[in-house]
Amino acid sequence: MEQNLKTEHQQQSRSTILAQTVKTGIIKSNLIPMWAGLTLGMYKNKMTFIENIPEIIFVTIGSALVIGAAGAFNNVYDRDIDAIMPRTQSRPTVTGEMSTKSTLTLAFIMLILGVVVLYLASPLAAAFGFLGVFLYVVPYTMWTKRRTIYNTEIGSIGGAIPPVIGWAAVSSDITHPAILGLFFVMVIWQMPHFYAIAIRKHADYEAAKVPMLPVVKGMRRTYYQTNFYLLLLILSSFLFGSLSIGIMLVALLLSIAWLVMSIYGYHSNKDQIKWATKMFVFSLFHMTILFSTVIVYSLVGVIFKLY
């Protein structure tokens, strides 16, 4: 009995270590926009759910693998600064529970398997899957993250690839206004989202010498730049007009509410951390509601053939 409990605890511990290494939380959150792109692609191309079951399975598994690979690569490269920041000091690549060699092996295996599985959905999906990992690991993690305040802008491009992967699994037309709308909205959304994180974890980034905007330029510049991107987010909402007036209104109202909350919260409360926390929470609310709306709208259209 005692031996069984010990074995079960060890198995749970190993699964927890692996989950932290590949960042399963990020995998789950990125599968939502991927599914938005996937279902939207099926809807706009007048496809049925049944005929695309293989593509749905392959793109879901493949996306999870490449996103996990990107997280593992990031953990290896950033283990020195992760050791400095309290919020990342417990990562397995810092504590030694996962060696560099083991993590890199896991990352490469997941990347190769992920690209192969995505290829089974479509060669274009595989290409975007690999591109997403490359953009996140090389231009962002290895090049700009420690060198410039525009690291968030560079990283946002790779971070906006998941909906394109989903779309590419069922459609080769990546210039369609619908998928361009999803892509641009996700690119812009990441700036106020990550600025809020950087404000809340200001001391961590400062100690690790990561040049996040609030650390280098201060709160006032971050506030103005946040509002600039929120204005762009409001304008980008109109890209959904070619898809659905309803979705466009949802995106528009969410973005306007976010900007109003930003301005009112900043001027009515001098507690910067409290303002940033509200901004962070609303960013999650914004993205979850918007992409869930796209998924539901597209699935209803696919199932009931509302073309």
Side-chain angles (χ1 to χ4, degrees):
M1 179 69 175
E2 185 177 335
Q3 182 62 36
N4 290 337
L5 289 173
K6 184 178 180 181
T7 302
E8 184 179 347
H9 175 73
Q10 290 174 338
Q11 291 174 341
Q12 290 176 344
S13 178
R14 282 194 293 267
S15 63
T16 300
I17 290 171
L18 287 174
Q20 292 175 339
T21 302
V22 301
K23 303 182 180 180
T24 52
I26 292 178
I27 293 175
K28 293 173 184 176
S29 63
N30 276 278
L31 286 179
I32 296 175
M34 187 283 293
W35 258 74
L38 172 64
T39 54
L40 185 57
M42 290 193 293
Y43 172 70
K44 295 304 291 185
N45 289 281
K46 301 181 180 180
M47 298 173 172
T48 65
F49 192 84
I50 299 299
E51 70 178 313
N52 284 288
I53 287 180
E55 286 78 9
I56 293 170
I57 295 173
F58 291 141
V59 76
T60 301
I61 296 173
S63 295
L65 287 169
V66 295
I67 294 168
F73 281 124
N74 176 264
N75 274 344
V76 169
Y77 192 82
D78 279 350
R79 64 191 185 281
D80 58 333
I81 59 176
D82 284 345
I84 298 172
M85 300 188 288
R87 72 184 183 88
T88 56
Q89 287 175 344
S90 61
R91 285 179 176 172
T93 43
V94 175
T95 62
E97 293 170 297
M98 282 289 290
S99 67
T100 299
K101 182 179 179 180
S102 297
T103 307
L104 281 175
T105 301
L106 176 65
F108 277 111
I109 290 174
M110 291 182 73
L111 176 60
I112 294 169
L113 286 177
V115 171
V116 169
V117 174
L118 285 174
Y119 189 88
L120 296 177
S122 84
L124 191 58
F128 276 111
F130 180 81
L131 178 63
V133 176
F134 174 80
L135 290 173
Y136 182 75
V137 174
V138 180
Y140 171 63
T141 301
M142 299 177 67
W143 179 37
T144 61
K145 183 175 181 179
R146 308 186 192 201
R147 290 178 172 84
T148 172
I149 59 171
Y150 297 105
N151 52 19
T152 305
E153 281 79 355
I154 299 299
S156 69
I157 299 173
I161 292 294
V164 184
I165 296 174
W167 175 280
V170 293
S171 175
S172 59
D173 181 14
I174 58 171
T175 62
H176 194 287
I179 188 56
L180 289 179
L182 284 182
F183 175 77
F184 284 121
V185 164
M186 195 164 182
V187 166
I188 297 167
W189 170 88
Q190 290 178 81
M191 264 64 81
H193 171 75
F194 284 109
Y195 290 162
I197 293 176
I199 293 169
R200 297 173 69 218
K201 303 298 179 182
H202 185 286
D204 286 9
Y205 288 115
E206 187 174 37
K209 294 182 172 58
V210 178
M212 299 299 289
L213 185 65
V215 175
V216 178
K217 296 296 183 179
M219 184 65 189
R220 192 171 184 83
R221 165 71 178 273
T222 304
Y223 167 70
Y224 285 128
Q225 201 153 312
T226 292
N227 290 344
F228 169 74
Y229 283 117
L230 289 178
L231 284 171
L232 289 183
L233 197 60
I234 290 172
L235 293 175
S236 68
S237 301
F238 292 101
L239 291 171
F240 292 112
S242 63
L243 169 62
S244 161
I245 297 300
I247 291 178
M248 183 190 76
L249 290 175
V250 169
L252 188 61
L253 291 173
L254 284 170
S255 299
I256 291 174
W258 197 358
L259 177 61
V260 170
M261 189 187 76
S262 173
I263 296 172
Y264 176 78
Y266 181 82
H267 290 287
S268 65
N269 195 321
K270 300 303 180 183
D271 188 338
Q272 297 176 355
I273 301 299
K274 188 175 182 179
W275 175 79
T277 299
K278 289 182 178 179
M279 293 291 287
F280 171 74
V281 171
F282 193 89
S283 71
L284 301 179
F285 176 78
H286 179 286
M287 188 52 60
T288 302
I289 294 297
L290 178 57
F291 279 85
S292 296
T293 300
V294 172
I295 292 171
V296 171
Y297 175 87
S298 301
L299 283 178
V300 169
V302 167
I303 294 171
F304 295 100
K305 298 184 178 180
L306 302 176
Y307 309 127

